Amino acid sequence: MPSSDDHGLPGEAYTSGSVFDWERQKLWREGWVCVGRASLLPATGSQRAIDVGGAGVLLVNDSSGQPRAFLNSCRHRGHELVRSGCEVRRSTIWCAYHAWVYRLDGALRNAPGFDIDEADDLGLIPVRCADWGGWLFVNLSETAPDLQSTVGNLDEILAPYETSSLRTTAVRQYDVAANWKLIVENYLECYHCPSTHPELSRVQRTEGGEDFASTGLWLGGFLDLRNSALSMSLDGSGAAWDFPSLDEDRVRQVCYHALLPGLFVTAHHDYLVTHRLEPLGADRTRVTCEWLFPPELVSAGTDTTYALDFWDHTNAQDWAACESVQRGVSVPGYLPGPLAPDESGLRAFLRLLAEAYGSDMPLRVPTDVDEGARS
Ligand code: FES
Ligand SMILES: [Fe+2]
């Protein structure tokens, strides 16, 4: 497996089905994966069937206020409890095949033809699930460290943005013909910004920022808004409003955070935009982008399209670049080149990957990360 952290990965890392299968098992099913906002489960009895690293998972709002997750397989003969990709709202979890019924906490309540007292061990198989900052995370490993230690100090860095209270004003889904790692790598450097993002480069400086010192499984850093720009938008306009708890410096910074393996949180003084990755194949990734605004601005009827237009445009540029890299690294004989000084975040990501590849283990919180990332 690849191991160098001074050069990019060999083409095989982005094209091989066996590398992809290993990553889906080790890095995605055994890592904490963001599956969306907590608003996915709006009410008691809300149930949603999703895919996490190729495994069917049922998310449930069980009335205790805590989200629950189970394998989306009936304990009788395996029928899906809710069809993959669908959502329902019911007071019980019900299998349509032979009508076994489970409580919202997963316990078996009724199985036609069975004495239910003898079926205590036939509850749904639980999956670890947690709400952090208004996002739902799932982990299919029983032994992985808890989400809090994975998040580390991202908690305090994002605290001023009060992420749990933010409202979604827009969602866009993109089907990108590129390996998921290329999308992470692209987010972790702004070396490409002057040539790939002329509009972004007009409102944000593309050099001169700093990396954050991370204590979790995340990489990040900030870059400054240009003096002429009020916010990240195509014409530099934006809301004349700052998150009240942001310190003076941060108000003029765009902060990039990649919580591995698959959630990017980009924070501005007036809104957040997130990218959530779902690897679909060695050369295919679904990216769901969400625009999050503070409730004050939403209630005031603020026009938030400046943020949507800017990032939708920037996304298109990034996906075109990532898809081109996917084609380029797929050329037989491709040799990876050296990383630039401004690709420190990418270098840190490749180090984490190399450790995971070498140990046959999921991505782990490093003990010595002092380099971060910029988009
Ligand atoms: S498979 Fe679910 S009740 Fe038979
Ligand atoms: Fe970019």
Side-chain angles (χ1 to χ4, degrees):
M1 297 298 277
S3 64
S4 167
D5 63 1
D6 292 325
H7 287 61
L9 299 176
E12 179 196 16
Y14 307 104
T15 59
S16 154
S18 58
V19 171
F20 177 76
D21 288 345
W22 181 88
E23 289 176 346
R24 218 153 61 140
Q25 168 64 39
K26 286 290 171 187
L27 310 189
W28 290 82
R29 290 210 282 271
E30 298 184 26
W32 283 101
V33 173
C34 179
V35 297
R37 293 289 284 170
S39 54
L40 278 177
L41 302 174
T44 301
S46 294
Q47 302 170 34
R48 185 179 285 259
I50 60 168
D51 179 282
V52 179
V57 170
L58 183 67
L59 302 173
V60 177
N61 180 331
D62 80 341
S63 84
S64 70
Q66 293 301 313
R68 286 183 186 267
F70 306 99
L71 294 186
N72 190 18
S73 303
C74 179
R75 291 300 308 278
H76 177 218
R77 281 175 43 217
H79 192 279
E80 289 173 305
L81 300 156
V82 173
R83 186 176 176 150
S84 180
C86 296
E87 58 179 299
V88 298
R89 187 180 173 199
R90 293 196 193 105
S91 58
T92 57
I93 300 166
W94 180 69
C95 178
Y97 198 7
H98 311 94
W100 282 29
V101 179
Y102 304 85
R103 295 197 317 232
L104 294 177
D105 65 5
L108 182 63
R109 197 179 84 177
N110 187 46
F114 285 83
D115 177 351
I116 202 68
D117 290 338
E118 295 172 5
D120 285 351
D121 60 345
L122 287 174
L124 297 178
I125 298 171
V127 170
R128 296 167 75 190
C129 179
D131 176 334
W132 174 75
W135 290 283
L136 287 184
F137 288 80
V138 163
N139 189 315
L140 284 142
S141 161
E142 291 173 6
T143 56
D146 64 19
L147 178 59
Q148 205 55 47
S149 63
T150 301
V151 166
N153 60 343
L154 191 54
D155 235 2
E156 58 200 74
I157 288 186
L158 290 183
Y161 302 96
E162 299 178 7
T163 58
S164 293
S165 71
L166 299 179
R167 305 247 192 98
T168 299
T169 57
V171 180
R172 288 280 186 281
Q173 205 163 74
Y174 307 90
D175 199 344
V176 185
N179 184 275
W180 69 275
K181 298 189 296 297
L182 292 179
I183 297 171
V184 176
E185 292 175 19
N186 177 72
Y187 184 77
L188 290 175
E189 50 92 359
C190 208
Y191 184 44
H192 70 275
C193 291
S195 47
T196 304
H197 300 306
E199 297 83 3
L200 179 147
S201 303
R202 280 202 290 271
V203 292
Q204 180 209 271
R205 288 167 55 88
T206 56
E207 76 303 310
E210 283 180 27
D211 298 329
F212 293 124
S214 167
T215 65
L217 194 56
W218 66 276
L219 299 164
F222 69 83
L223 288 160
D224 291 324
L225 276 174
R226 293 195 186 277
N227 292 338
S228 55
L230 185 57
S231 188
M232 286 285 265
S233 59
L234 291 170
D235 63 0
S237 66
W241 183 93
D242 307 325
F243 285 97
S245 305
L246 279 185
D247 67 37
E248 208 175 316
D249 292 341
R250 190 109 318 156
V251 165
R252 296 299 299 165
Q253 293 167 355
V254 181
C255 299
Y256 297 91
H257 321 83
L259 181 56
L260 300 172
L263 178 68
F264 308 157
V265 180
T266 307
H268 317 75
H269 67 90
D270 47 347
Y271 71 94
L272 265 61
V273 65
T274 62
H275 295 77
R276 186 168 62 81
L277 274 50
E278 294 174 81
L280 302 178
D283 59 356
R284 216 177 124 219
T285 306
R286 182 186 296 133
V287 182
T288 304
C289 197
E290 212 160 331
W291 284 259
L292 301 170
F293 273 80
E296 296 94 309
L297 290 188
V298 177
S299 307
T302 305
D303 183 356
T304 58
T305 52
Y306 68 92
L308 173 63
D309 292 345
F310 176 82
W311 278 107
D312 196 39
H313 181 78
T314 303
N315 285 339
Q317 295 166 330
D318 278 324
W319 309 152
C322 291
E323 291 181 345
S324 181
V325 174
Q326 181 70 37
R327 292 190 293 274
V329 298
S330 302
V331 173
Y334 162 72
L335 289 173
L339 300 179
D342 278 353
E343 294 176 303
S344 58
L346 198 162
R347 189 176 285 109
F349 174 54
L350 296 188
R351 270 207 298 266
L352 294 176
L353 271 178
E355 196 171 309
Y357 288 146
S359 62
D360 192 27
M361 294 285 284
L363 293 167
R364 293 289 186 210
V365 175
T367 52
D368 62 345
V369 166
D370 56 4
E371 289 179 317
R374 303 165 203 167
S375 179

